[in-house]
Amino acid sequence: MNKRYFRKIMPVILFALVLAIIFRSNLFASYIVNGESMEPTLYDGNLLMVNKVVYNLTDIERFDIVVFHADEQDDYVKRVVGLPGDEIVYKDDKLYINGEYIEEPFLKRFRKMSDKEPYTKDFTLEGVTGKTEVPEGKLFVMGDNRGESLDSREIGFVNAETIVGKVDVKYWPFSEMQLSFGEK
């Protein structure tokens, strides 16, 4: 490679690196799943790409998988189950929002694994939070591993302002499970 070519290509490479750094730090973030609360959708050690700007453009939707600041040190990854104004009841392993049964297709395959007990134990929003509906600016989140998840049933509502972003991609390790976690 001659010096002239190197001098011409170097600004392009530097520009691309600067763009990559800006893109990475402002638009997306990488996270590593720590724990079992989202199994079998996400496993301990999975690497995730979190879209940090999507909620500047769209609203948070039910069943989005999100990362949020649980406290000053920890970030959690959970699934949004309840939105502001929702009344939530779980009865006979079925989710009811505002009195209407809401299917959770992402759990279908995994409920079969727990034939003896319900995958999600019965509860009411009022019973676990003291509120009859999800307050404005708050979310009710749950892990997919319903028996082993520290989620809104214990920690209460999540402030929507603490949401880092939406999990768009699990990029390592790639597996068959990746194909199903985005289902609605």
Side-chain angles (χ1 to χ4, degrees), residues 36-54:
E36 302 171 347
S37 72
M38 283 299 292
E39 288 183 7
T41 304
L42 300 172
Y43 287 88
D44 187 43
N46 285 160
L47 300 178
L48 308 175
M49 184 65 66
V50 176
N51 184 329
K52 293 168 56 174
V53 297
V54 67

Side-chain angles (χ1 to χ4, degrees), residues 35-150:
E36 302 171 347
S37 72
M38 283 299 292
E39 288 183 7
T41 304
L42 300 172
Y43 287 88
D44 187 43
N46 285 160
L47 300 178
L48 308 175
M49 184 65 66
V50 176
N51 184 329
K52 293 168 56 174
V53 297
V54 67
Y55 295 130
N56 294 336
L57 306 171
T58 64
D59 292 332
I60 297 171
E61 294 183 19
R62 184 176 333 283
F63 301 142
D64 282 355
I65 298 175
V66 297
V67 171
F68 63 94
H69 299 303
D71 55 40
E72 290 184 20
Q73 294 86 23
D74 297 315
D75 291 340
Y76 289 176
V77 58
K78 304 289 179 197
R79 190 179 297 274
V80 175
V81 173
L83 300 168
D86 285 346
E87 296 175 5
I88 301 170
V89 174
Y90 229 104
K91 184 158 179 65
D92 298 326
D93 213 12
K94 293 183 177 160
L95 171 65
Y96 294 89
I97 305 272
N98 304 322
E100 182 181 333
Y101 168 65
I102 304 293
E103 193 172 342
E104 296 174 286
F106 50 87
L107 294 181
K108 263 186 193 171
R109 318 179 2 187
F110 312 119
R111 281 194 169 112
K112 294 175 186 174
M113 294 178 200
S114 63
D115 286 334
K116 297 175 188 169
E117 295 181 24
Y119 195 68
T120 307
K121 293 182 180 171
D122 291 355
F123 71 88
T124 64
L125 186 66
E126 186 171 16
V128 295
T129 68
K131 303 279 186 188
T132 57
E133 64 181 44
V134 179
E136 197 63 39
K138 307 284 185 186
L139 303 167
F140 189 87
V141 299
M142 295 176 72
D144 287 357
N145 186 355
R146 301 290 168 82
E148 301 294 326
S149 178
L150 179 62

